Amino acid sequence: MPRLHHITLVVVLCSLTWGARAEDGSDGWLRYSRITDQAVLRQYQSLPRNIVQSDSSALGRNASAELARGLRGMLGGQYKENSGRPDGNAFVLGTPKELHRLLSGWKAPSDLGPESFAISRFDDHGHHLWIVAGDSQRGELYGVFHLLEQVAEHREIVPDAESPSAPIRWVNQWDNFDGSIERGYAGRSIFFDGGHVRADLTRVSEYGRLLASVGLNGCTVNNVNSDLRTLQPEMLRELARIADALRPWGVRMSLSVDLSSPQVVGHLPTFDPLDPRVVAWWQQKTDEIYSLIPDFAGYTVKADSEGRLGPSHYGRNPAQAANVLARALRPHHGVVLYRGFVYNQHLDWHDLKADRARAGYDNFRALDGKFEPNVVIQIKHGPIDFQVREPVSPLFAALQHTNQAVELQVTQEYTGQQRHMVFLVPMWKTALDTDMRAQNRSTPVKEIVEGKSFHQPLGGFVAVVNVGLEDNWLHHPMAMANLYGYGKLAWNPNVSTDEIIDGWTRLTFGNNPKVVSTIDDLQRNSWHVYEQYTGPLGLGTLTDIIGVHYGPGIESAERNGWGQWIRADHKGIGMDRTVATGTGYISQYPPELAKVYESLATCPDELLLFMHHVPYDHVLHSGKTVIQHVYDSHYDGAATAATYAPRWQKLHGLVDEERYDRTLALFRYQAGHALVWRDAVSEWFLHMSGIPDKDGRVGHYPDRIEAEAMQSDGYTPVNVTPWETASGGKAVVCNRAAPCTLTTKLDRPVGSYDIAVQYFDNHPGAAQYEMTLNGRNIAHWTADDTVPPAVVDKKLDGHTSTRFTVRGIALVPGDTLMLRGVPSGAEPAPIDYIEITKK
Ligand code: GCW
């Protein structure tokens, strides 16, 4: 090839690859991908190419740089940024004061509240200007992101103004200094490693940008189970670097602190919050923090909970403790987020009146009005712990003279750990829209935490996010919709689910109508589907509650002090929380709502077993019995989960390969794991109730061949615990260095079949599997997933059970199928069963 052509080709290739940047998910919803549709481009052709930034703060400069970056990415061309008086058409960014300095004729909108923005048109000396005014630089930045979002969604840019619902719009990260993350499912910490703040904080600043783009303004960076070194002077100096990285995005850093710090870090003989030395210590420590971090947001406190020390150690109450910290923070405009998650984890299972759900109210109700004005009680949306379904916490309505924030969970601890797609916005909206009828008037949770219902000055929203170092932040490409959706709800809890998911999909995967409608539909229903196969009727997630909270582990809820009981026996199931005969929990709600829950006639089906204990044949409002509902919902949910992969496959070629492949693999995994859930829960209920499924599905699997029933060379049967997480309670393992085999003769009528192998993928270890038909290899795979993620699990159970399917295999009667397992390290190539289904 002549040299010149060679060079041309290199240039062409370079520009091609440069244009199509790898879609690893790291940009989240801020992709700014180039718009190629000419008709769409035309609506933006009159937009100015000049950006005037009227102030020179880091935040202001970031706002104009972001506008240039976004417009350049989506529309192409160059954008000039400057700070002088506009000498042509321009975007002009600034706070009212700065804008007036440049444009004397411009009038600030009168209702520019804290952190709000207004986008308007203004003609000045014949120049057409787009003004992005922010009450503060943070407001400006929000205005810029709003404008860019319109372009990315191909909408017309129109004058607009918005302000946030509440001042607190925070995220919590449960990151540990060693770099691990409690309940984090996407790799290691972006903040910490090896006991220190990371040297490279690039990801932290990228995280700040994502948070700011949806209006979030605070980030607690360390685990609420706080490291006792947090407040040491050396550590604070390191932590200040994180605050520096977040600041240009208007995100203020806060820290989780342990209330024993005055003793552990300050070497005082006590940490009694009422001891004057302790009071002085908190004051001095807080001043020290502000000298390093002038915009420090405040403290997040978990105390007297799950083994953390707290004021109860000295017979003091949460208000006495919170107020000491609050008084130290107040001169600096900092706040205390004191968590309402205080409960006794050593409850007496034999006591039918004992009830963990009561704890929040019982611990905080009497303290209403006793907190300093810069204390906010941070309350998990439900009274237990982020289950797939819970009623709202009665504490929201009980605190009427105290600031409150609702705590949500983006990290899917009890909802599939970012290996299952579960879009949580519909669940959060259900909680936020719940009208608690406090004082017999409309008091939806969202308005309580906004401070509207009881006229509180402070309050808002917190979500535990736990992004990690993985490129795409949360592991599942679909999971970022939860972070985006959380931000949108915190900004405005009245935005609809449809609007949120549609916006996210367009920004994340583009505006192709087929792509948008497919992804929107998949996401919208995914919480309901997950609830169907993991814990219907208000039972909560029927997972291993004393372990990793991932796969099924039904009985783990019972007979321990944790109080996540379902109280199932051979006759009935459910927690009796009624006033009449139960724990009295229901009385914690305002009377109108309590009345609805107390009566079987009015309690909604989806919360029935949270509120009542009923026999299995109790008839629901739907007309089904409880037991049949459990069976049906598990079969329906698993069947819907099985449609995700084929529906996704219709988008092949319309979505970039990287995210397409990754999502497809996860959807296939989810379909298999939904069956693990379905079978475990239905089998367990059949065993417990003795009532058969009227459709004859549960306990009858005509297409299955149990591994222990196949002819084995080297494989030995083992019992699996809990029994319901393996078919027939048993699996086989290969406990020798050499490979083992299972062989069976098939007797299927001529036809095309799918052959699924249910096996266990332990972590660590990468066993190999091979399947042959009449000696011919038909499949080969490696068990190297991390399921459940990031947790070493060598057990065969509901977390590790998974499935591999080979499709479209032609069978005739008399075929010989052989499975060969090659163990690896701690993984003995376990197999549960095979299932052969006709296409
Ligand atoms: O959801 C539970 C988690 C704990 C967590 C605790 C909390 C950080 O299982 O891992 O601890 O709640 O919210 O404090």
Side-chain angles (χ1 to χ4, degrees):
M1 185 190 285
R3 195 163 170 77
L4 183 66
H5 287 175
H6 185 74
I7 290 170
T8 318
L9 187 66
V10 170
V11 171
V12 170
L13 279 178
C14 284
S15 58
L16 274 180
T17 43
W18 183 73
R21 178 162 142 26
E23 291 275 12
D24 57 13
S26 55
D27 289 331
W29 52 86
L30 298 175
R31 290 161 59 248
Y32 300 144
S33 64
R34 180 65 51 88
I35 298 173
T36 49
D37 183 326
Q38 291 305 318
V40 177
L41 277 174
R42 264 196 298 280
Q43 54 171 329
Y44 304 120
Q45 73 193 4
S46 65
L47 285 182
R49 298 262 161 170
N50 288 319
I51 299 171
V52 175
Q53 175 51 267
S54 62
D55 78 74
S56 59
S57 66
L59 202 58
R61 283 201 309 274
N62 240 2
S64 42
E66 187 71 24
L67 185 58
R69 173 180 174 175
L71 293 176
R72 195 167 51 233
M74 292 186 282
L75 307 177
Q78 288 310 315
Y79 290 79
K80 277 207 308 228
E81 292 170 65
N82 49 53
S83 55
R85 203 189 153 80
D87 55 3
N89 298 348
F91 290 98
V92 189
L93 277 51
T95 57
K97 196 166 134 238
E98 308 291 346
L99 287 167
H100 271 300
R101 200 174 40 78
L102 286 188
L103 312 164
S104 46
W106 179 78
K107 269 209 192 63
S110 53
D111 52 354
L112 215 52
E115 302 182 278
S116 60
F117 65 82
I119 298 172
S120 58
R121 310 203 61 159
F122 182 69
D123 284 343
D124 182 56
H125 296 91
H127 307 319
H128 301 307
L129 308 180
W130 275 103
I131 312 275
V132 184
D135 141 80
S136 58
Q137 283 95 13
R138 201 184 275 147
E140 261 173 61
L141 187 62
Y142 298 153
V144 162
F145 279 118
H146 176 84
L147 200 149
L148 292 172
E149 189 168 279
Q150 306 307 304
V151 179
E153 294 179 24
H154 298 183
R155 297 181 206 285
E156 193 190 344
I157 300 182
V158 289
D160 205 352
E162 285 191 14
S163 51
S165 68
I168 305 235
R169 303 183 309 281
W170 287 19
V171 297
N172 285 178
Q173 287 276 142
W174 288 349
D175 295 35
N176 301 314
F177 293 164
D178 66 3
S180 63
I181 306 177
E182 182 156 349
R183 316 296 178 186
Y185 310 108
R188 292 178 57 80
S189 171
I190 62 170
F191 302 106
F192 309 111
D193 193 28
H196 294 277
V197 169
R198 282 184 184 281
D200 179 0
L201 294 180
T202 314
R203 288 298 295 266
V204 174
S205 122
E206 285 168 4
Y207 187 36
R209 175 170 169 257
L210 281 169
L211 297 178
S213 73
V214 285
L216 296 169
N217 63 4
C219 178
T220 311
V221 297
N222 61 326
N223 193 347
V224 288
N225 292 326
S226 166
D227 194 303
L228 296 174
R229 285 167 300 166
T230 304
L231 293 178
Q232 281 176 353
E234 319 79 74
M235 200 61 204
L236 288 174
R237 277 195 293 279
E238 293 192 30
L239 288 161
R241 290 185 43 242
I242 300 181
D244 293 343
L246 294 173
R247 186 170 302 116
W249 299 106
V251 178
R252 290 168 73 188
M253 186 185 81
S254 99
L255 291 174
S256 298
V257 294
D258 191 280
L259 287 187
S260 71
S261 303
Q263 200 171 50
V264 185
V265 180
H267 306 296
L268 295 180
T270 174
F271 65 90
D272 178 354
L274 296 195
D275 187 298
R277 289 165 297 177
V278 172
V279 173
W281 188 85
W282 280 110
Q283 254 158 18
Q284 171 273 320
K285 186 49 79 179
T286 305
D287 294 344
E288 178 189 339
I289 294 177
Y290 278 92
S291 70
L292 295 164
I293 308 165
D295 61 344
F296 182 63
Y299 298 131
T300 297
V301 180
K302 174 177 180 180
D304 290 321
S305 170
E306 300 185 334
R308 309 303 297 183
L309 288 171
S312 72
H313 195 72
Y314 298 97
R316 313 294 185 203
N317 65 42
Q320 290 167 319
N323 289 346
V324 170
L325 277 60
R327 288 181 202 119
L329 287 160
R330 202 162 177 194
H332 306 282
H333 312 291
V335 295
V336 178
L337 275 279
Y338 199 98
R339 295 178 87 228
F341 188 62
V342 176
Y343 71 101
N344 171 10
Q345 81 212 41
H346 303 289
L347 285 180
D348 177 8
W349 146 267
H350 298 286
D351 176 2
L352 292 177
K353 298 283 175 195
D355 186 359
R356 169 167 165 186
R358 293 188 57 114
Y361 181 102
D362 285 346
N363 286 312
F364 285 87
R365 167 79 181 85
L367 301 175
D368 189 23
K370 302 225 157 74
F371 293 92
E372 289 285 335
N374 59 331
V375 176
V376 179
I377 307 302
Q378 177 172 326
I379 305 169
K380 290 190 183 184
H381 61 91
I384 300 283
D385 192 8
F386 302 132
Q387 301 301 292
V388 68
R389 170 84 68 168
E390 291 186 48
V392 297
S393 168
L395 188 54
F396 291 116
L399 298 182
Q400 303 187 357
H401 308 279
T402 304
N403 302 316
Q404 307 183 48
V406 61
E407 181 177 321
L408 307 170
Q409 212 187 31
V410 167
T411 193
Q412 297 168 230
E413 177 181 354
Y414 284 94
T415 49
Q417 304 192 350
Q418 288 115 266
R419 288 348 184 232
H420 293 234
M421 170 179 65
V422 182
F423 179 51
L424 292 165
V425 165
M427 172 165 109
W428 297 334
K429 279 192 81 74
T430 303
L432 293 170
D433 291 347
T434 300
D435 185 354
M436 302 200 72
R437 306 293 305 164
Q439 303 167 349
N440 301 322
R441 61 183 170 89
S442 165
T443 51
V445 171
K446 58 188 174 194
E447 291 180 16
I448 295 176
V449 300
E450 284 175 87
K452 279 188 195 155
S453 300
F454 308 126
H455 310 291
Q456 288 302 128
L458 211 56
F461 301 78
V462 179
V464 182
V465 180
N466 296 354
V467 297
L469 271 183
E470 284 186 19
D471 284 339
N472 75 356
W473 304 95
L474 286 173
H475 192 88
H476 200 308
M478 296 294 153
M480 284 291 270
N482 288 324
L483 178 54
Y484 174 89
Y486 163 65
K488 292 286 172 183
L489 282 181
W491 181 267
N492 175 7
N494 297 318
V495 181
S496 71
T497 296
D498 284 354
E499 204 177 315
I500 292 175
I501 194 54
D502 200 62
W504 177 79
T505 304
R506 286 172 189 279
L507 299 175
T508 307
F509 286 103
N511 290 280
N512 178 308
K514 185 169 167 191
V515 172
V516 173
S517 68
T518 303
I519 297 179
D520 286 3
D521 286 349
L522 283 165
Q523 291 262 30
R524 231 191 318 254
N525 201 30
S526 57
W527 166 49
H528 176 61
V529 173
Y530 191 78
E531 179 185 29
Q532 282 185 307
Y533 66 77
T534 64
L537 301 176
L539 281 170
T541 317
L542 293 169
T543 189
D544 166 18
I545 71 112
I546 43 185
V548 294
H549 303 174
Y550 180 61
I554 304 145
E555 285 203 55
S556 68
E558 309 276 61
R559 282 171 284 278
N560 58 46
W562 291 93
Q564 286 184 233
W565 309 321
I566 53 173
R567 295 226 183 264
D569 58 21
H570 292 300
K571 290 192 251 135
I573 186 164
M575 274 292 287
D576 182 356
R577 293 188 158 108
T578 61
V579 181
T581 54
T583 69
Y585 162 82
I586 290 175
S587 72
Q588 297 184 337
Y589 290 100
E592 288 183 39
L593 192 54
K595 201 168 156 217
V596 172
Y597 292 149
E598 179 79 9
S599 158
L600 277 175
T602 48
C603 183
D605 285 351
E606 67 269 16
L607 289 173
L608 177 71
L609 303 179
F610 192 94
M611 304 291 180
H612 295 269
H613 184 87
V614 297
Y616 292 105
D617 59 4
H618 171 84
V619 179
L620 301 166
H621 298 304
S622 69
K624 280 187 192 179
T625 60
V626 163
I627 189 73
Q628 195 57 42
H629 179 97
V630 170
Y631 296 146
D632 289 352
S633 77
H634 279 80
Y635 274 81
D636 291 350
T640 309
T643 67
Y644 293 175
R647 282 153 79 190
W648 180 251
Q649 282 175 295
K650 300 220 169 85
L651 302 185
H652 190 232
L654 302 176
V655 165
D656 56 283
E657 287 292 318
E658 275 174 292
R659 291 183 300 169
Y660 176 83
D661 290 345
R662 188 176 183 127
T663 307
L664 181 59
L666 281 158
F667 281 167
R668 285 184 168 152
Y669 167 76
Q670 181 172 358
H673 200 233
L675 294 176
V676 176
W677 270 101
R678 181 198 73 184
D679 293 349
V681 178
S682 332
E683 288 275 350
W684 188 89
F685 273 84
L686 174 62
H687 169 83
M688 210 28 132
S689 70
I691 303 173
D693 165 24
K694 74 173 172 41
D695 291 342
R697 297 157 300 186
V698 183
H700 302 287
Y701 311 101
D703 294 331
R704 281 188 195 175
I705 307 171
E706 293 294 338
E708 55 278 13
M710 294 168 79
Q711 190 194 323
S712 152
D713 175 11
Y715 266 117
T716 48
V718 288
N719 290 328
V720 170
T721 326
W723 64 269
E724 70 273 14
T725 58
S727 191
K730 285 187 177 6
V732 299
V733 290
C734 179
N735 275 328
R736 67 181 191 195
C740 302
T741 60
L742 295 174
T743 312
T744 188
K745 263 230 158 5
L746 303 179
D747 212 9
R748 305 289 158 134
V750 174
S752 175
Y753 293 82
D754 289 346
I755 306 180
V757 179
Q758 195 72 32
Y759 66 105
F760 297 84
D761 190 341
N762 304 122
H763 172 57
Q768 309 265 330
Y769 293 85
E770 196 181 274
M771 193 168 14
T772 60
L773 186 68
N774 306 321
R776 183 175 59 89
N777 187 309
I778 53 169
H780 177 253
W781 72 99
T782 307
D784 58 358
D785 273 348
T786 49
V787 286
V791 176
V792 175
D793 189 349
K794 296 183 188 158
K795 281 184 62 217
L796 313 189
D797 55 26
H799 314 303
T800 53
S801 180
T802 185
R803 134 185 307 236
F804 177 89
T805 307
V806 48
R807 284 160 223 279
I809 300 293
L811 296 180
V812 297
D815 281 334
T816 300
L817 186 77
M818 188 170 91
L819 271 171
R820 188 161 171 274
V822 187
S824 141
E827 195 168 58
I831 299 174
D832 186 356
Y833 64 85
I834 60 173
E835 189 157 59
I836 303 177
T837 45
K838 186 119 203 220
K839 281 288 257 187

